[in-house]
Amino acid sequence: MSVKSACLFAVLALLFAGRLKSQEMIRGNSIVSRCYASGKVNKIYVPPPKSFYLNKGRKGGTVTIYYSGFSAAAKTAYQYAVSILQSALPADASFTIHATFAAMSQGTLGGTSAAGYILGASVNALNPYAYYPVALADKISGKKINSDSEGDISMSLNSSAAWYYGTDGQTPTDKYDFVTVVLHELCHGIGFVDSFTDSNGTGSYGIGSLPVIYDTFVEDATGKRLADTNSYKNNSSGLGTALTSGAVYFRGVIQGSRARLYAPSTFDGGSSISHLNETSYFGSNALMTPFVAFGEAIHSPGTITMAVLGDIGWINTRIIHTPFTDTEKNLGSITFTATILSDTAIDRNHVGLVYSFDSLKTRDTLFLSGQADGHTFSGDLTLPSYNTGITYYFTVNDYFGRVYRLPSVGEILPYSFYVGSDTVKPVIRYAPPDYLIDKTPSLKIRAMVTDNIGVDTVYVEYRKKGGSSVFLGLKHDSLDIYSNILDIRSLEMSGTDSLQFRIIATDSSSNSNTSYMPTVGFFSIKPEQTFGVQASYTTNFSGASGDFINRGFSVTTPSGFSDPALHSKHPYDSPDRADDSIVYTSVLRYPLKVDNSGIYFSYMEIVLVEPGETGSVYGSPYFYDYVVVEGSRDFGINWFPMAPGYDSRVNDTFLNDYNSAISGDNSTFQGTPSMFTKHTISVSTFTKFIKGDTLLVRFRLFSDPFAHGWGWALDDLTIRSVADDVQNTEEEKIAIYPNPGDGIIHLQQTGMAGVLTSYKVCDLAGKELKEGVFSSGDDAVIDISSAPPGFYLIVVKQGNKTRTFRYSKTV
């Protein structure tokens, strides 16, 4: 195994365990390409390519755009540029752009970044060891990785530039052609972008140590690849010299000749390497040069740009196959079938199945025959005997001689299955609760159970400690999930009893292989006591440690603090597995009775938890660690947010402090008592709870993988009815009307002249629909009329104070 293969083996093993999620996408906002204004005049017009006119009225790729700040004229020109690129892309191309039109630094016309990058191995790209921008990864995999709200491309255009919005190419010599710049930035967003950087003469590249796909085609004057460590070491002065040599090229197989790239003697991040050389290309191939001149209208990507895009993956071949699973059937042969979809011609006579009966110590190739539909290929493989393991992968060559494999790392991690008697036990994944509330009537058991042959039965054995066992079958919900509700009341447990249970799974093999979770003994959980129902609760946490059920929290006085408060662990933990998370909770033992007005929370807090990506909202994959106040009306069986969760971005001071002391991926900044800031939440009754409900309240800190900070601290906690809050405070008034309504919401503030108030409208899952700012006396109009009927949360922030209102949309 090569050094590269050995280093990636563990990563690829995770990917092929089927755990690729958006969270495993590497965020790419730091890789930004920019388009500059030259200040010169170049009166020229290159019309759109023939494909644009031939495809008019028929879609090529599908592009969805979310505009922010655009005028009608700018939108029309933007859409025209998009239609040009659509016509040149394959019909299965589909991606989403978040486009912003706002003032930028003088001389910059636009900038673009991908929402993230995906390792080629995870989407079976041609190069498994390079990262692909998410829009391109979508095309290669044939699957949508990001949701529209997350987007694939983020583009900013300078609203203060002198723009010509026409689409006829007749750009005046004192204007910059808007269509040209948009088309230029679109090409960056879909992959015409490098990751090379230069710092004081030291050149480097990549995400971690791996290049983005564009990097792998970049070479020096002698043909040495800059991302080949046999030629240039990463993080080296030699690479830095090459990047600023003026002689850097892109060499692929589609163009047939290499294209000279922009590599000035002073490295320019966002411009160097990610553009064609300014003085080498004019006319039809000038779109991707780094500068746009007055009067310059280039409405065609050009042959070189299209070749670059084709080389990085927009001309692709996708092999589709459903892998075999183990079987006990006594088979003499197996029919292997694959579907091949290509944007170009393939060598149909050499669609190969590479197979082995000894884990690739030796291997052979079976060439598959094409079927009548033109895309399906199949062949029969004779098995040497029963009890045989088969490893295999597929290969095919395209018109340009590129060798595609499925899986793309098939030479290292091929598909495999076993034909013979099964002795493999089912695998059970289940995390038991840390505790039970004494008044909880039931416990939902939800486990993931997998097996190489298939699962036959899954059930739970439970009992009161010392009592007789009861058995309950778990129902197959979806995929590999099995669940059911365990009735705790039937056990008639007292305060000193504990619940014991285990999960048992049997597969469908002839041996009926059985697994247990835990592998030995039983889970044992003692119910936690709750106290009498209260109308309100107030504490400064002195002597209040017994009022809370804590896991990861404690009522304590850390070093540097003079009074007790509710603190999470400092620093809190973060998991080191991409599919894992850590949760800390603190549950108030006093249930609270809800009156007709709702519940009001007030507390002092310090929030130093990992912030999400700029613009991300609670519930999205890019909203990383967070804290949240939650309620339960069924004594802990189900929990819901009293208001959307938040992170260090809740307060600029918290955010700046968190980011001021970063070591590796973690923040080492320590919280101090002077940082305590007031936070309020006002929740009207809504569908989650109604008047008369008894609510449990908990505080929860969620930590996703790889990064953490100091944590969360709360002091001076008050929980009471909203009506009590109105009677006893002099807060400014917020009016929301009409409520219920049709989605046209009026939001008005009185009582604090000159104070700006921000708002966000979210659905109950935390997805943001609208946001804005208004001041005292204004009547802000919020339009969510296109949203479906239901309940929504309006989160209003005034300084450090946050309030949440319920809005009912009736139509």
Side-chain angles (χ1 to χ4, degrees):
M1 184 182 295
S2 69
V3 173
K4 179 194 293 182
S5 299
C7 292
L8 287 170
F9 189 89
V11 174
L12 299 178
L14 291 179
L15 294 170
F16 278 83
R19 296 191 293 102
L20 174 65
K21 302 180 180 68
S22 58
Q23 196 173 27
E24 290 169 332
M25 179 173 61
I26 303 299
R27 305 180 290 278
N29 292 335
S30 61
I31 303 177
V32 180
S33 294
R34 296 178 178 85
C35 180
Y36 294 127
S38 74
K40 299 177 181 179
V41 175
N42 180 24
K43 183 64 177 173
I44 185 174
Y45 172 50
V46 177
K50 288 183 179 179
S51 61
F52 174 74
Y53 299 103
L54 293 174
N55 287 349
K56 212 160 190 180
R58 179 180 68 83
K59 278 191 174 182
T62 300
V63 181
T64 302
I65 311 156
Y66 289 89
Y67 293 104
S68 177
F70 282 74
S71 65
K75 283 185 180 180
T76 299
Y78 195 106
Q79 189 61 59
Y80 182 78
V82 167
S83 66
I84 294 172
L85 185 63
Q86 280 180 301
S87 71
L89 292 178
D92 63 344
S94 176
F95 52 87
T96 300
I97 305 168
H98 288 189
T100 301
F101 200 38
M104 301 175 70
S105 59
Q106 188 175 4
T108 300
L109 297 176
T112 299
S113 63
Y117 288 83
I118 305 293
L119 187 64
S122 65
V123 290
N124 288 306
L126 178 65
N127 187 337
Y129 309 119
Y131 279 98
Y132 288 73
V134 63
L136 178 53
D138 283 353
K139 188 275 185 281
I140 291 170
S141 66
K143 299 176 182 178
K144 193 70 174 166
I145 296 170
N146 269 358
S147 66
D148 280 359
S149 63
E150 294 163 346
D152 302 312
I153 297 168
S154 178
M155 184 187 301
S156 297
L157 297 164
N158 192 350
S159 61
S160 58
W163 291 114
Y164 176 67
Y165 297 111
T167 60
D168 57 3
Q170 303 307 305
T171 310
T173 55
D174 61 348
K175 301 285 186 183
Y176 293 106
D177 189 71
F178 195 73
V179 171
T180 299
V181 174
V182 173
L183 187 58
H184 176 109
E185 292 300 318
L186 286 170
C187 291
H188 282 314
I190 65 174
F192 201 116
V193 60
D194 73 293
S195 70
F196 290 102
T197 61
D198 179 271
S199 177
N200 299 319
T202 298
S204 61
Y205 63 84
I207 299 172
S209 61
L210 297 179
V212 301
I213 186 59
Y214 180 99
D215 300 341
T216 65
F217 295 92
V218 177
E219 65 182 33
D220 66 12
T222 65
K224 294 180 179 177
R225 301 281 183 169
L226 270 59
D228 183 351
T229 54
N230 292 317
S231 300
Y232 289 96
K233 290 184 178 180
N234 204 347
N235 297 300
S236 68
S237 58
L239 180 58
T241 299
L243 292 172
T244 54
S245 66
V248 180
Y249 303 85
F250 184 101
R251 182 187 293 278
V253 299
I254 293 177
Q255 178 71 16
S257 59
R258 63 185 189 176
R260 189 170 182 177
L261 301 176
Y262 180 60
S265 57
T266 299
F267 190 87
D268 185 352
S271 188
S272 292
I273 313 303
S274 60
H275 291 92
L276 298 176
N277 191 46
E278 180 73 24
T279 59
S280 301
Y281 301 99
F282 307 93
S284 62
N285 279 312
L287 178 71
M288 295 310 293
T289 56
F291 301 98
V292 173
F294 286 121
E296 184 178 12
I298 311 296
H299 291 186
S300 174
T303 56
I304 292 177
T305 295
M306 292 308 300
V308 169
L309 295 176
D311 275 314
I312 66 174
W314 286 99
I315 296 178
N316 181 64
T317 296
R318 186 187 313 138
I319 308 173
I320 304 169
H321 166 75
T322 302
F324 289 104
T325 57
D326 295 356
T327 179
E328 290 189 309
K329 294 180 180 179
N330 195 349
L331 303 174
S333 65
I334 295 178
T335 300
F336 287 81
T337 301
T339 298
I340 299 179
L341 303 177
S342 183
D343 301 311
T344 184
I346 61 171
D347 184 352
R348 298 179 58 83
N349 295 321
H350 292 86
V351 176
L353 170 74
V354 180
Y355 66 92
S356 173
F357 299 125
D358 56 12
S359 301
L360 293 184
K361 293 175 184 177
T362 61
R363 66 190 75 187
D364 205 344
T365 301
L366 171 69
F367 291 108
L368 307 182
S369 300
Q371 304 303 302
D373 65 2
H375 300 298
T376 303
F377 295 80
S378 65
D380 295 330
L381 178 66
T382 300
L383 302 183
S385 65
Y386 194 61
N387 292 326
T388 294
I390 303 99
T391 53
Y392 68 99
Y393 61 91
F394 298 90
T395 66
V396 63
N397 290 17
D398 76 353
Y399 172 83
F400 301 102
R402 299 180 293 185
V403 182
Y404 290 82
R405 296 177 179 85
L406 181 73
S408 58
V409 289
E411 293 178 309
I412 302 171
L413 291 172
Y415 294 130
S416 64
F417 66 104
Y418 187 79
V419 177
S421 179
D422 179 53
T423 59
V424 179
K425 295 180 179 181
V427 175
I428 306 171
R429 294 187 65 182
Y430 172 73
D434 290 327
Y435 55 84
L436 290 175
I437 304 298
D438 58 356
K439 294 183 177 62
T440 300
S442 60
L443 172 65
K444 184 172 184 178
I445 303 292
R446 187 175 187 271
M448 176 182 287
V449 183
T450 57
D451 187 75
N452 60 317
I453 292 288
V455 177
D456 181 56
T457 56
V458 181
Y459 59 99
V460 61
E461 178 186 359
Y462 67 102
R463 66 193 183 195
K464 177 171 61 176
K465 186 176 181 180
S468 301
S469 290
V470 181
F471 297 89
L472 176 70
L474 299 188
K475 302 173 184 177
H476 186 199
D477 289 348
S478 60
L479 296 177
D480 302 316
I481 303 300
Y482 295 78
S483 69
N484 209 335
I485 304 297
L486 187 156
D487 184 4
I488 298 175
R489 289 173 300 185
S490 64
L491 298 178
E492 298 181 346
M493 298 194 331
S494 67
T496 59
D497 290 327
S498 59
L499 172 69
Q500 294 185 322
F501 68 96
R502 63 178 177 174
I503 299 170
I504 305 168
T506 302
D507 71 11
S508 56
S509 71
S510 58
N511 292 324
S512 297
N513 301 301
T514 301
S515 292
Y516 300 86
M517 172 63 76
T519 55
V520 178
F522 291 76
F523 295 117
S524 184
I525 305 176
K526 185 175 180 179
E528 291 279 359
Q529 182 184 7
T530 54
F531 303 149
V533 177
Q534 303 289 313
S536 63
Y537 179 82
T538 300
T539 184
N540 63 2
F541 291 99
S542 294
S545 60
D547 291 355
F548 295 86
I549 305 167
N550 290 320
R551 299 296 186 271
F553 281 89
S554 62
V555 176
T556 186
T557 307
S559 176
F561 288 74
S562 58
D563 299 303
L566 182 64
H567 288 263
S568 71
K569 183 178 177 181
H570 301 315
Y572 64 91
D573 298 312
S574 57
D576 56 8
R577 293 194 331 181
D579 65 337
D580 206 354
S581 62
I582 293 174
V583 174
Y584 297 156
T585 59
S586 180
V587 180
L588 179 62
R589 293 183 188 268
Y590 288 100
L592 297 163
K593 182 70 73 173
V594 178
D595 72 8
N596 194 48
S597 64
I599 291 184
Y600 169 81
F601 294 81
S602 173
Y603 48 87
M604 304 296 289
E605 70 175 352
I606 302 170
V607 184
L608 294 171
V609 301
E610 181 196 13
E613 291 293 320
T614 301
S616 63
V617 298
Y618 176 63
S620 77
Y622 302 117
F623 200 92
Y624 305 130
D625 298 353
Y626 61 83
V627 297
V628 63
V629 181
E630 296 178 313
S632 173
R633 56 186 296 189
D634 51 18
F635 286 93
I637 297 175
N638 298 287
W639 293 92
F640 57 87
M642 306 300 291
Y646 53 96
D647 54 32
S648 294
R649 291 174 294 169
V650 72
N651 181 291
D652 289 342
T653 299
F654 295 159
L655 180 62
N656 293 335
D657 287 343
Y658 182 97
N659 289 327
S660 68
I662 300 296
S663 176
D665 293 325
N666 304 317
S667 172
T668 59
F669 189 90
Q670 300 290 309
T672 63
S674 63
M675 297 175 63
F676 272 114
T677 302
K678 188 174 183 179
H679 190 109
T680 62
I681 300 172
S682 180
V683 189
S684 301
T685 53
F686 64 109
T687 54
K688 296 286 186 179
F689 63 89
I690 59 175
K691 178 183 178 181
D693 277 345
T694 298
L695 288 186
L696 279 183
V697 170
R698 76 175 180 182
F699 303 91
R700 180 166 67 94
L701 187 156
F702 173 87
S703 174
D704 74 353
F706 309 131
H708 61 250
W710 182 80
W712 195 18
L714 300 95
D715 201 358
D716 296 335
L717 171 65
T718 295
I719 310 174
R720 60 192 180 200
S721 71
V722 171
D724 289 343
D725 176 56
V726 172
Q727 294 166 5
N728 292 290
T729 66
E730 296 180 355
E731 292 182 353
E732 67 285 357
K733 295 180 179 179
I734 298 292
I736 297 176
Y737 62 93
N739 186 14
D742 59 4
I744 304 298
I745 309 168
H746 292 262
L747 190 60
Q748 192 172 59
Q749 168 193 317
T750 59
M752 291 186 69
V755 175
L756 290 179
T757 298
S758 64
Y759 67 83
K760 291 183 179 181
V761 181
C762 308
D763 62 19
L764 295 184
K767 180 181 178 182
E768 184 178 317
L769 280 70
K770 296 283 184 178
E771 65 176 344
V773 177
F774 68 104
S775 60
S776 181
D778 288 348
D779 184 5
V781 180
I782 310 170
D783 184 357
I784 62 166
S785 57
S786 60
F791 291 93
Y792 296 86
L793 300 179
I794 302 175
V795 183
V796 179
K797 183 177 180 181
Q798 298 155 314
N800 293 327
K801 185 177 297 182
T802 301
R803 302 173 67 189
T804 303
F805 301 89
R806 184 275 315 260
Y807 175 77
S808 174
K809 186 175 183 295
T810 56
V811 294

